[in-house]
Structures are given as C-alpha cells and as structure tokens.
Amino acid sequence: MRLRTVLCSTASVVSALALLSACAGGSPTASSGEPLVGVDYPRSDTDFWNSYIKYTPQFAKELGLNLKTTNSQNDVAKLTANAQTFISQGVKGVAMAPQDTAAIAPTLAQLEAKKIPVVTVDTRPDTGKVYMVVRADNRAYGEKACRFLGTKLGGKGKVVMLQGDLASVNGRDRTEAFNDCMKKNYPDIKVFGEATNWDGAVAAQKLQTDLTAHPDIKGVYMQSSFALSGTLQVLKQKGLLVGPRDEKHVFVVSNDGIPEELKDIAAGKIDATVSQPADLYAKYALYYLKAAIGGKTFQPGRTDHDSTIIEVRDGLLEDQLSAPLVTADGATYGGVASLKSDDKSLWGGNLG
C-alpha cells in the first residue's frame, strides 16, 4: 500500500511538471526543455551589429530560450540557406534582419508554410507575413538628422547625405524623410545624395569627391556608423577635422549610437547621432518570438516598454522602439529634443 502511494505521488509530480512546462509556452526541445529558436545575424562587420550579436545570447538566457544562430553576411542567398538550416534543426521561431527587404519574400512564405513564426529586426519586409517587426521609426532618423543640420547651418549651405542601400526599407525611409524635411523646412540647403550600399569605402570615396568639387560643404549625414571611420579620415585629410567652434568645422550626424560615436561627439569630432537600440532589438526580437510560440497576439498601441506598435499594412505589426537624438549639449534642435552623449540611458555608453 505504501509503495502504491509513492508511485501515485510520483506520477502526480510528473504530471504537474508537464503541465507547468506546457503553460510556460512553446514546444520545448528534447535537450533543455526550452523552446528552440533561430536568430540570423545579418552581418558582423559593423560595431552596431556586433553589439546586437553580443546582446542576443544574454537575452535568450533571460527569456528561457534555446538558441541557434547563423550569419548571412549581408547576402540574401545565405539568409535563405540559413533559414533552411533552421527548419532542419526544428526551430519553433526565427528572428532575422534581411538587408534586401524585397528579396526575402519567398523565404518568409516557406517559413509560414512550415508554421514557423518570424520576427524581423531593424528592417521590414516589402511583402510577406511576419509575426512582428522590431524596429525604430527610420523616417524619424532622417527627420532628426535634418533638423539638427538645418539648425546648425542656419538654414543655408550644402550637405552630403551618405545613404545606405535603397533596396532596404531603412535606406529608403531615412533618405526620403531627410529630403522631405530639407525641402519643407530648409529649402536653401543643397543636399548631395550619395548611394553607398552600406559600404564604408564607397562612402569615403564619394565624400572625398563631393568635398573636392564643393569645398564649401558644411554638413554630412551618415545613415549608419558604417561610414564613421572613413568620414573622419576624409575630413582629416582635407584639414576639416576641427572642433565645432572652428569656422572650418563640418557638422556630422550619424545613425546608430555605438560607443565610438558617443566618444567622438564628446571629443568634438562629430556632432550628433540617433541612437538605434541594439540592446532592445535583441531583447524584443526574442520576446516576440517567445510570445508567438506561446500563441499570444498583439494590437496596435502603446506598449509597456516606451514604444508604440503600429499596423504598417494589413496584418503586419511593427513595434517602433525609442531612438533619441544624441548631441554634445543635450539641447533641442528644430523642435527635436536630444540627450547628452554621456547620458546613462544610452546603450552605447553602457556596453562593456
């Protein structure tokens, strides 16, 4: 009788544990009991994406997810192959950051057919279904850069915009917003738009050409920190890498908020950036994957983490995370408030 009681108690404990596991959400892996998810890193040749890569395992552990990773190296064919690898590994969800936002549609369709939810990070697919887009408002990046440069130049002069890749929704959003803002608010500023395909060497070469042809250029908008080192090198060669109070100073605005940018703002080498949240991209990409596996749904509106979910097209939601303008003085420029480069809330200042 005593033996039967012990066996029944043991069975009850096992059943309870199984129930708790099921309530935790998702399909556990055989090895760890944690849902298995795949994260494809888009590239590892920039400080921003290397920061994202660093944060991802940290948040996977915090959220109780088992992680498989790949790196598509800015190549949509590799991303497609990596998605196949994830499928064969039995992942329950995939996070990716497709740099070519048009060409990813067939891969998204295949994952949907397999009932594997997808969260895209930083970029939004032109077509296709994903569970959630985790991104900041990239039009706001261009708008904030425009407001800063327009204010610093007093509404007159010439600026170079080192664009990303116009095959990417990010490149298009930043470019269109910057141009629209300049035309509306600072019509006397001439903008030289230069396509760079997110390539630092191309950006440096085009900036060199523009400064040679137009030595009176007084502003540079880099759509990402990929162009940072090349821009500073070109300005130094031209004798223009001087402090912001020097009349030869060229005002430089970047996008990303990496530690090097914050240091360069404090040192007077560049003037501003828009801090793209690498830490929150990693955290909420995984958060939404876990939610998808657990069957949770979301609606447009404010979130509990200082962001807004919007419906960008029928059935496609995007969580737009906060991305503040960062400057040396923390002032307001053209109606846009900024944070000082040493503000403790900035991930780039806290990255160890």
Side-chain angles (χ1 to χ4, degrees):
M1 188 71 176
R2 176 179 170 79
L3 177 60
R4 180 175 178 178
T5 301
V6 170
L7 288 173
C8 289
S9 298
T10 302
S12 298
V13 170
V14 171
S15 298
L17 288 174
L19 180 61
L20 284 172
S21 177
C23 290
S27 301
T29 63
S31 59
S32 68
E34 298 176 338
L36 178 65
V37 299
V39 176
D40 182 79
Y41 302 135
R43 55 198 302 169
S44 54
D45 59 349
T46 70
D47 288 345
F48 176 81
W49 284 115
N50 284 332
S51 299
Y52 172 77
I53 289 169
K54 178 178 179 180
Y55 282 119
T56 298
Q58 170 189 327
F59 286 116
K61 183 176 181 181
E62 289 184 13
L63 289 165
L65 296 172
N66 194 3
L67 191 63
K68 294 286 187 180
T69 63
T70 56
N71 193 320
S72 53
Q73 299 174 341
N74 202 25
D75 185 332
V76 72
K78 289 182 180 178
L79 178 51
T80 298
N82 293 344
Q84 295 291 334
T85 298
F86 287 146
I87 291 171
S88 69
Q89 292 172 333
V91 302
K92 304 303 179 184
V94 173
M96 62 173 69
Q99 303 298 282
D100 188 329
T101 53
I104 195 59
T107 300
L108 295 178
Q110 185 175 23
L111 289 165
E112 182 184 5
K114 296 287 185 180
K115 301 189 184 307
I116 299 174
V118 175
V119 172
T120 64
V121 181
D122 180 52
T123 62
R124 180 178 67 234
D126 294 355
T127 59
K129 183 178 179 181
V130 300
Y131 177 80
M132 182 69 74
V133 178
V134 175
R135 190 169 174 253
D137 182 352
N138 276 245
R139 288 193 63 86
Y141 291 9
E143 175 86 15
K144 291 174 182 179
C146 161
R147 294 286 185 172
F148 180 83
L149 287 176
T151 300
K152 284 294 188 180
L153 271 61
K156 297 180 180 180
K158 299 175 181 178
V159 302
V160 176
M161 173 169 52
L162 299 174
Q163 301 164 324
D165 186 350
L166 296 184
S168 161
V169 65
N170 289 356
R172 294 195 300 271
D173 277 358
R174 297 175 200 186
T175 296
E176 291 169 3
F178 186 81
N179 283 334
D180 289 348
C181 170
M182 281 294 182
K183 289 176 183 176
K184 179 180 178 180
N185 300 289
Y186 311 105
D188 292 330
I189 293 180
K190 168 73 173 176
V191 178
F192 298 97
E194 301 289 4
T196 69
N197 195 34
W198 307 117
D199 187 313
V202 173
Q205 182 270 318
K206 291 192 173 183
L207 179 60
Q208 174 98 23
T209 299
D210 284 335
L211 284 170
T212 300
H214 306 278
D216 55 343
I217 284 171
K218 297 301 291 182
V220 177
Y221 170 36
M222 306 182 299
Q223 289 190 359
S224 167
S225 58
F226 75 93
L228 179 62
S229 62
T231 293
L232 294 181
Q233 183 178 9
V234 170
L235 292 176
K236 185 175 181 179
Q237 290 172 349
K238 295 283 188 181
L240 301 174
L241 191 59
V242 295
R245 295 186 179 182
D246 192 305
E247 63 179 13
K248 293 191 297 181
H249 182 75
V250 176
F251 292 95
V252 179
V253 184
S254 186
N255 287 165
D256 274 345
I258 62 171
E260 195 63 30
E261 288 175 332
L262 303 186
K263 293 175 186 175
D264 286 343
I265 291 171
K269 293 181 179 180
I270 70 171
D271 302 274
T273 189
V274 178
S275 180
Q276 185 169 215
D279 55 343
L280 300 185
Y281 279 4
K283 178 177 181 177
Y284 287 104
L286 295 170
Y287 166 84
Y288 284 116
L289 276 188
K290 185 172 183 179
I293 294 168
K296 188 174 181 180
T297 59
F298 295 88
Q299 299 295 325
R302 293 291 296 171
T303 72
D304 60 0
H305 50 269
D306 191 31
S307 68
T308 302
I309 295 175
I310 66 169
E311 187 171 31
V312 292
R313 59 175 181 265
D314 188 31
L316 182 64
L317 298 178
E318 177 173 302
D319 187 357
Q320 294 192 332
L321 303 176
S322 176
L325 178 67
V326 182
T327 62
D329 57 9
T332 296
Y333 292 89
V336 177
S338 71
L339 297 178
K340 290 187 68 173
S341 59
D342 60 356
D343 192 289
K344 298 303 182 183
S345 68
L346 297 170
W347 68 269
N350 297 315
L351 191 63

